Amino acid sequence: MIPEKMKAVVVTGVHEVTTHEYEIPKYSDDQLLIKVMRSSICTIDQRPYDGKVKSFFPRVGGHEGAGIVVAVGKNVKGYEVGDNVTVGRIHCMTCQNCILGLGHCEHGPNFSKPAVPPTIDTPMNLQGCFSQYIVRKPTEVFKFPAEVNFEYACITEPLSDVIHSIRRARLAMGETCVIIGAGIMGILHVQVAKRVGARVVMAEMDPERREKALKAGADYVVDPATQDIGEFISKITEGRGVDVVFYSIASSKFFDQYYSLLATPGRIVLYSNQIPDDPVPVKLGRLHTLEHEIIGTVGSVDKDFLLAIKLMQSGAVDMSQVIQGTYALSECKQAYDDACKPNTYRCVIRMDEE
């Protein structure tokens, strides 16, 4: 039975978060009502809470969520009450990018300055996954089987982003790649790259994270603070260099160092957001002569979500390696604080548990 009220996790300011009660959202004939079971605190949620980016408060975060369909609009086909679903991207399905399956919806969510200042009773983004009930179009969710638990399913989106990154890189069997940083995205890159058949080098300064990368399947780990990574790469590739570098750290100051590791030809994939987004020196002649490619990647498309679910279902990717811990709804403050600590992996809130 659907209740009349629900709770949501609301960030009210920097390092301030609480729960608040709201009406259950209304769903149309073309929508699904979903009871959120688990929601993960992404870096997009962490940065406003930690004061690293400016934001408008109060706000409800969460775009990495999984739950159960509890009501189905009469025009919806292919979904039933009781289906387990993970939340995908909000897209219009009418712009050219959506029609072509390219992502980057031209009418996607707008988080610019709200027309009316938000309040605790009308916060920004109440349809975020840190609400116990949300409404979505059927094109914005993906079913997942019982073999995949809700903790794993709620972080389908990060895995889909990594799959998209590997696709953009055109990483192939037998190629050698360097992945920079053994955070959640680095560990997922390791696992997916190994499934492709690539040889993987992880560059990471933290010894515990280097061990984690080895457990995830990395062939080599290097500490760039104490080892000459260029010399190491030259040795294992017989002087050729690597085919792909996944630049998955949020700082541009190391770009040239890792760009120099590329073979001829080679690709460097810019995975992480850059804060601050400082310019880097790039010699166009070197790009031209060495046939290098600089590839941007962000987000994912529907086929990446579907493959992510299949990889979790088969056990080809071990999602337990990137979950730091789970928290009850009443522990949301602790969950946010832990998520913002250095070297922390995903913190998941059990939205159905007080």
Side-chain angles (χ1 to χ4, degrees), residues 104-231:
H104 301 279
C105 175
E106 296 173 15
H107 307 107
N110 181 8
F111 298 113
S112 59
K113 184 177 181 179
V116 178
T119 68
I120 190 65
D121 292 318
T122 57
M124 288 188 66
N125 194 34
L126 186 54
Q127 279 296 291
C129 292
F130 288 123
S131 293
Q132 288 184 312
Y133 287 83
I134 59 174
V135 169
R136 290 291 187 273
K137 298 175 185 176
T139 55
E140 296 166 351
V141 298
F142 300 87
K143 294 181 190 179
F144 63 89
E147 297 96 313
V148 180
N149 66 41
F150 285 105
E151 278 79 10
Y152 297 172
C154 79
I155 49 176
T156 303
E157 191 261 358
L159 178 56
S160 75
D161 291 350
V162 169
I163 291 169
H164 191 71
S165 171
I166 298 288
R167 289 190 196 273
R168 292 277 294 157
R170 308 188 307 280
L171 186 66
M173 185 182 298
E175 290 191 321
T176 299
C177 68
V178 170
I179 299 166
I180 309 165
I184 175 174
M185 297 307 187
I187 294 299
L188 291 176
H189 267 90
V190 169
Q191 294 193 59
V192 178
K194 290 304 296 180
R195 296 302 170 268
V196 170
R199 183 168 60 159
V200 176
V201 180
M202 169 59 71
E204 170 60 59
M205 292 187 291
D206 184 89
E208 291 185 5
R209 286 194 165 198
R210 289 199 297 274
E211 286 300 315
K212 197 172 189 70
L214 288 171
K215 183 180 178 183
D219 298 281
Y220 307 97
V221 292
V222 182
D223 179 359
T226 61
Q227 294 175 266
D228 186 326
I229 191 168
E231 183 179 301

Side-chain angles (χ1 to χ4, degrees), residues 8 29 48 82 88 90 97 109 127 173 175 178 181 195 232 241 260 272 296 300 304 324 349 353:
D29 293 341
I90 295 177
N97 282 352
Q127 279 296 291
M173 185 182 298
E175 290 191 321
V178 170
R195 296 302 170 268
F232 180 84
S260 68
S272 178
S300 58
D304 303 316
Q324 189 78 23
I349 296 181
E353 295 183 25

